[in-house]
Amino acid sequence: MEDKRNLRKERIGVVTSSKMEKSIVVAEVKKVKHPMYGKFVLKTKKYVAHDEQNDCNEGDTVKIMETRPMSKTKSWRLVEIIERAK
């Protein structure tokens, strides 16, 4: 059972919204090569994450980890703030 806990997904992204109580929206941007044309396209995926101390602000770079569902859309939690917004 301990092995399953270590296989949780982690993502690094930028906080786009912190207006909710104890919740943040994190956007992860990936560069994906178009299968036919070869051009690199930016793909954005948004995650709603749990922020227990409510200390994240918009523009912060954060690391989030997958966890049990905490609400209808929130199944990620904040691990650490990598870089504060300037």
Side-chain angles (χ1 to χ4, degrees), residues 1 27 34 43 47 63 67 70 75:
M1 189 183 282
H34 191 280
K43 295 278 187 181
Y47 301 98
K63 180 190 270 189
T67 184
M70 297 184 159
S75 60

Side-chain angles (χ1 to χ4, degrees), residues 53-65:
Q53 278 81 36
N54 237 0
D55 57 350
C56 280
N57 297 315
E58 288 186 29
D60 292 350
T61 304
V62 295
K63 180 190 270 189
I64 57 175
M65 176 188 280

Side-chain angles (χ1 to χ4, degrees), residues 7-38:
L7 296 175
R8 291 183 175 177
K9 296 175 192 165
E10 289 188 340
R11 301 282 186 261
I12 294 175
V14 178
V15 178
T16 57
S17 173
S18 61
K19 294 178 181 177
M20 298 172 277
E21 286 291 320
K22 295 190 177 184
S23 297
I24 55 174
V25 178
V26 179
E28 177 195 26
V29 180
K30 285 193 237 177
K31 273 186 157 182
V32 180
K33 191 174 185 180
H34 191 280
M36 185 175 179
Y37 300 111

Side-chain angles (χ1 to χ4, degrees), residues 5 8-9 48-50 64-70 74-78:
R5 188 173 178 89
R8 291 183 175 177
K9 296 175 192 165
V48 180
H50 184 68
I64 57 175
M65 176 188 280
E66 198 174 35
T67 184
R68 66 177 176 82
M70 297 184 159
K74 191 163 62 167
S75 60
W76 293 79
R77 66 178 168 86
L78 178 70

